[in-house]
């Protein structure tokens, strides 16, 4: 039992250490991103403004997932619009064919009548 408690305390201290290191690394990354953005802005004379979002990796993953789902939704909408467009084109072609068919029928009817009329 004593060995288990020792191992548990060791793991807890290791977790604390890793959390502290994560925080330190994250703050260093924030500082370097800000410095990088400042240097870019200096070079471009404010023609290109860069925005760096200081979010933890989990938030970035969530944002990427949202972006991916948004892109999927846009793709679905484009496909739906394309289907609707194709359907409208088909309907329009059918209407054009329907307009032309009475002329065909009239000419056929006249031929038949001219042949069969006494």
């Amino acid at each position: 039992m004593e060995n288990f408690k020792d191992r548990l305390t060791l793991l807890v201290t290791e977790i604390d250490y890793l959390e502290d290191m994560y925080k330190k690394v994250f703050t260093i990354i924030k500082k370097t991103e800000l410095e990088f953005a400042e240097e870019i802005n200096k070079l471009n004379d404010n023609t290109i403004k860069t925005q760096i979002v200081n979010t933890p990796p989990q938030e970035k993953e969530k944002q990427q997932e949202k972006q991916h789902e948004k892109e999927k939704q846009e793709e679905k909408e484009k496909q739906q619009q394309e289907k609707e467009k194709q359907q409208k084109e088909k309907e329009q072609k059918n209407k054009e064919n329907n307009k032309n068919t009475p002329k065909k029928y009239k000419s056929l009817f006249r031929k038949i009548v001219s042949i069969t009329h006494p």
Side-chain angles (χ1 to χ4, degrees):
M1 193 66 156
E2 182 117 354
N3 190 17
F4 177 74
K5 288 181 181 179
D6 293 339
R7 181 75 177 141
L8 185 63
T9 56
L10 182 69
L11 289 173
V12 168
T13 56
E14 190 174 343
I15 288 173
D16 291 340
Y17 171 75
L18 290 173
E19 285 178 344
D20 289 340
M21 290 304 294
Y22 173 78
K23 290 176 184 175
K24 288 178 182 178
V25 168
F26 188 71
T27 55
I28 291 171
I29 289 172
K30 281 184 184 179
K31 288 179 184 177
T32 54
E33 286 177 344
L34 290 174
E35 289 176 9
F36 181 75
E38 289 173 1
E39 291 295 320
I40 294 291
N41 286 335
K42 286 179 187 176
L43 291 174
N44 292 328
D45 296 325
N46 294 327
T47 55
I48 298 175
K49 294 184 179 180
T50 59
Q51 294 180 352
I52 297 178
V53 179
N54 296 321
T55 56
Q58 295 88 358
E59 289 296 320
K60 287 183 181 179
E61 289 175 4
K62 287 180 184 177
Q63 289 176 352
Q64 288 174 350
E65 289 176 7
K66 287 180 182 178
Q67 181 67 24
H68 185 66
E69 288 187 18
K70 189 176 182 182
E71 290 172 356
K72 282 184 179 179
Q73 184 67 24
E74 289 174 353
E75 184 66 29
K76 286 181 182 178
E77 289 174 0
K78 285 181 183 179
Q79 289 175 354
Q80 184 67 22
Q81 289 174 353
E82 186 66 29
K83 286 181 182 178
E84 290 173 358
K85 184 178 177 183
Q86 289 175 354
Q87 188 174 4
K88 286 181 181 179
E89 289 175 355
K90 285 181 181 179
E91 289 175 359
Q92 189 173 8
K93 285 180 182 179
N94 286 339
K95 285 181 181 179
E96 289 174 2
N97 286 338
N98 288 339
K99 288 179 182 178
N100 293 334
T101 52
K103 291 179 183 177
K104 291 179 183 177
Y105 290 142
K106 283 182 181 179
S107 64
L108 284 173
F109 180 76
R110 286 182 183 154
K111 285 181 182 177
I112 292 171
V113 166
S114 66
I115 293 173
T116 58
H117 189 68

